[in-house]
mmCIF file of all heavy atoms in Angstrom:
data_model
loop_
_atom_site.group_PDB
_atom_site.id
_atom_site.type_symbol
_atom_site.label_atom_id
_atom_site.label_comp_id
_atom_site.label_asym_id
_atom_site.label_seq_id
_atom_site.Cartn_x
_atom_site.Cartn_y
_atom_site.Cartn_z
ATOM 1 N N HIS C 32 -78.211 7.255 5.953
ATOM 2 C CA HIS C 32 -77.640 8.592 5.993
ATOM 3 C C HIS C 32 -77.826 9.235 4.628
ATOM 4 O O HIS C 32 -77.708 8.564 3.609
ATOM 5 C CB HIS C 32 -76.146 8.541 6.318
ATOM 6 C CG HIS C 32 -75.884 7.968 7.664
ATOM 7 N ND1 HIS C 32 -76.015 8.694 8.817
ATOM 8 C CD2 HIS C 32 -75.532 6.715 8.032
ATOM 9 C CE1 HIS C 32 -75.743 7.923 9.845
ATOM 10 N NE2 HIS C 32 -75.449 6.709 9.408
ATOM 11 N N VAL C 33 -78.144 10.517 4.631
ATOM 12 C CA VAL C 33 -78.246 11.254 3.374
ATOM 13 C C VAL C 33 -77.225 12.388 3.410
ATOM 14 O O VAL C 33 -77.176 13.145 4.383
ATOM 15 C CB VAL C 33 -79.668 11.835 3.164
ATOM 16 C CG1 VAL C 33 -79.736 12.643 1.878
ATOM 17 C CG2 VAL C 33 -80.707 10.715 3.124
ATOM 18 N N VAL C 34 -76.390 12.473 2.384
ATOM 19 C CA VAL C 34 -75.471 13.617 2.281
ATOM 20 C C VAL C 34 -75.743 14.352 0.985
ATOM 21 O O VAL C 34 -76.080 13.744 -0.027
ATOM 22 C CB VAL C 34 -73.974 13.208 2.310
ATOM 23 C CG1 VAL C 34 -73.576 12.742 3.693
ATOM 24 C CG2 VAL C 34 -73.661 12.164 1.264
ATOM 25 N N ASN C 35 -75.616 15.657 1.044
ATOM 26 C CA ASN C 35 -75.836 16.482 -0.144
ATOM 27 C C ASN C 35 -74.474 16.958 -0.671
ATOM 28 O O ASN C 35 -73.770 17.716 -0.004
ATOM 29 C CB ASN C 35 -76.748 17.670 0.212
ATOM 30 C CG ASN C 35 -77.122 18.470 -1.010
ATOM 31 O OD1 ASN C 35 -76.251 19.017 -1.686
ATOM 32 N ND2 ASN C 35 -78.400 18.521 -1.317
ATOM 33 N N TYR C 36 -74.145 16.464 -1.855
ATOM 34 C CA TYR C 36 -72.831 16.754 -2.451
ATOM 35 C C TYR C 36 -72.596 18.262 -2.597
ATOM 36 O O TYR C 36 -71.543 18.783 -2.234
ATOM 37 C CB TYR C 36 -72.751 16.085 -3.827
ATOM 38 C CG TYR C 36 -71.348 15.714 -4.254
ATOM 39 C CD1 TYR C 36 -70.951 14.396 -4.332
ATOM 40 C CD2 TYR C 36 -70.418 16.690 -4.595
ATOM 41 C CE1 TYR C 36 -69.671 14.048 -4.731
ATOM 42 C CE2 TYR C 36 -69.126 16.356 -4.987
ATOM 43 C CZ TYR C 36 -68.763 15.038 -5.058
ATOM 44 O OH TYR C 36 -67.496 14.706 -5.435
ATOM 45 N N GLY C 37 -73.631 18.941 -3.120
ATOM 46 C CA GLY C 37 -73.516 20.381 -3.358
ATOM 47 C C GLY C 37 -73.236 21.148 -2.065
ATOM 48 O O GLY C 37 -72.399 22.065 -2.046
ATOM 49 N N SER C 38 -73.915 20.779 -0.967
ATOM 50 C CA SER C 38 -73.728 21.480 0.305
ATOM 51 C C SER C 38 -72.293 21.319 0.802
ATOM 52 O O SER C 38 -71.701 22.269 1.332
ATOM 53 C CB SER C 38 -74.675 20.928 1.363
ATOM 54 O OG SER C 38 -75.995 20.977 0.911
ATOM 55 N N ILE C 39 -71.751 20.118 0.637
ATOM 56 C CA ILE C 39 -70.363 19.891 1.065
ATOM 57 C C ILE C 39 -69.417 20.773 0.253
ATOM 58 O O ILE C 39 -68.488 21.378 0.794
ATOM 59 C CB ILE C 39 -69.992 18.399 0.933
ATOM 60 C CG1 ILE C 39 -70.845 17.567 1.902
ATOM 61 C CG2 ILE C 39 -68.502 18.175 1.208
ATOM 62 C CD1 ILE C 39 -70.671 16.068 1.768
ATOM 63 N N MET C 40 -69.677 20.884 -1.052
ATOM 64 C CA MET C 40 -68.831 21.729 -1.901
ATOM 65 C C MET C 40 -68.942 23.212 -1.519
ATOM 66 O O MET C 40 -67.940 23.925 -1.489
ATOM 67 C CB MET C 40 -69.166 21.522 -3.384
ATOM 68 C CG MET C 40 -68.549 20.240 -3.946
ATOM 69 S SD MET C 40 -68.941 20.004 -5.708
ATOM 70 C CE MET C 40 -67.912 21.284 -6.458
ATOM 71 N N VAL C 41 -70.169 23.655 -1.222
ATOM 72 C CA VAL C 41 -70.367 25.054 -0.832
ATOM 73 C C VAL C 41 -69.596 25.342 0.457
ATOM 74 O O VAL C 41 -68.897 26.363 0.569
ATOM 75 C CB VAL C 41 -71.875 25.363 -0.656
ATOM 76 C CG1 VAL C 41 -72.082 26.707 0.048
ATOM 77 C CG2 VAL C 41 -72.581 25.371 -2.010
ATOM 78 N N GLU C 42 -69.697 24.414 1.417
ATOM 79 C CA GLU C 42 -68.991 24.579 2.690
ATOM 80 C C GLU C 42 -67.471 24.649 2.478
ATOM 81 O O GLU C 42 -66.785 25.513 3.036
ATOM 82 C CB GLU C 42 -69.330 23.383 3.579
ATOM 83 C CG GLU C 42 -69.356 23.688 5.067
ATOM 84 C CD GLU C 42 -69.680 22.427 5.850
ATOM 85 O OE1 GLU C 42 -70.785 21.875 5.651
ATOM 86 O OE2 GLU C 42 -68.813 21.981 6.620
ATOM 87 N N LEU C 43 -66.978 23.735 1.651
ATOM 88 C CA LEU C 43 -65.533 23.713 1.370
ATOM 89 C C LEU C 43 -65.073 25.018 0.707
ATOM 90 O O LEU C 43 -64.015 25.548 1.048
ATOM 91 C CB LEU C 43 -65.184 22.547 0.432
ATOM 92 C CG LEU C 43 -65.170 21.138 1.034
ATOM 93 C CD1 LEU C 43 -65.015 20.100 -0.069
ATOM 94 C CD2 LEU C 43 -64.042 20.991 2.056
ATOM 95 N N SER C 44 -65.884 25.536 -0.216
ATOM 96 C CA SER C 44 -65.472 26.760 -0.926
ATOM 97 C C SER C 44 -65.514 27.956 0.035
ATOM 98 O O SER C 44 -64.666 28.842 -0.046
ATOM 99 C CB SER C 44 -66.335 26.997 -2.156
ATOM 100 O OG SER C 44 -67.669 27.205 -1.794
ATOM 101 N N ARG C 45 -66.497 27.967 0.962
ATOM 102 C CA ARG C 45 -66.556 29.038 1.965
ATOM 103 C C ARG C 45 -65.293 29.049 2.814
ATOM 104 O O ARG C 45 -64.718 30.099 3.077
ATOM 105 C CB ARG C 45 -67.781 28.838 2.872
ATOM 106 C CG ARG C 45 -68.967 29.598 2.354
ATOM 107 C CD ARG C 45 -70.013 29.807 3.442
ATOM 108 N NE ARG C 45 -71.312 29.916 2.803
ATOM 109 C CZ ARG C 45 -72.372 29.197 3.119
ATOM 110 N NH1 ARG C 45 -72.321 28.302 4.091
ATOM 111 N NH2 ARG C 45 -73.500 29.385 2.469
ATOM 112 N N LYS C 46 -64.866 27.858 3.236
ATOM 113 C CA LYS C 46 -63.645 27.748 4.046
ATOM 114 C C LYS C 46 -62.441 28.351 3.330
ATOM 115 O O LYS C 46 -61.508 28.839 3.954
ATOM 116 C CB LYS C 46 -63.340 26.280 4.358
ATOM 117 C CG LYS C 46 -64.127 25.747 5.544
ATOM 118 C CD LYS C 46 -63.608 24.383 5.924
ATOM 119 C CE LYS C 46 -64.620 23.667 6.816
ATOM 120 N NZ LYS C 46 -64.423 22.214 6.798
ATOM 121 N N ARG C 47 -62.476 28.293 2.004
ATOM 122 C CA ARG C 47 -61.381 28.867 1.213
ATOM 123 C C ARG C 47 -61.658 30.323 0.838
ATOM 124 O O ARG C 47 -60.931 30.924 0.055
ATOM 125 C CB ARG C 47 -61.165 28.042 -0.043
ATOM 126 C CG ARG C 47 -60.356 26.785 0.235
ATOM 127 C CD ARG C 47 -60.483 25.772 -0.849
ATOM 128 N NE ARG C 47 -59.942 24.489 -0.422
ATOM 129 C CZ ARG C 47 -60.449 23.759 0.562
ATOM 130 N NH1 ARG C 47 -61.484 24.189 1.251
ATOM 131 N NH2 ARG C 47 -59.898 22.598 0.884
ATOM 132 N N GLY C 48 -62.742 30.857 1.387
ATOM 133 C CA GLY C 48 -63.077 32.264 1.138
ATOM 134 C C GLY C 48 -63.486 32.559 -0.290
ATOM 135 O O GLY C 48 -63.316 33.658 -0.799
#
Side-chain angles (χ1 to χ4, degrees):
Chain C
H32 297 280
V33 178
V34 289
N35 186 299
Y36 208 110
S38 305
I39 295 174
M40 282 180 72
V41 167
E42 212 181 298
L43 285 171
S44 63
R45 267 199 208 127
K46 277 189 197 159
R47 280 162 192 65

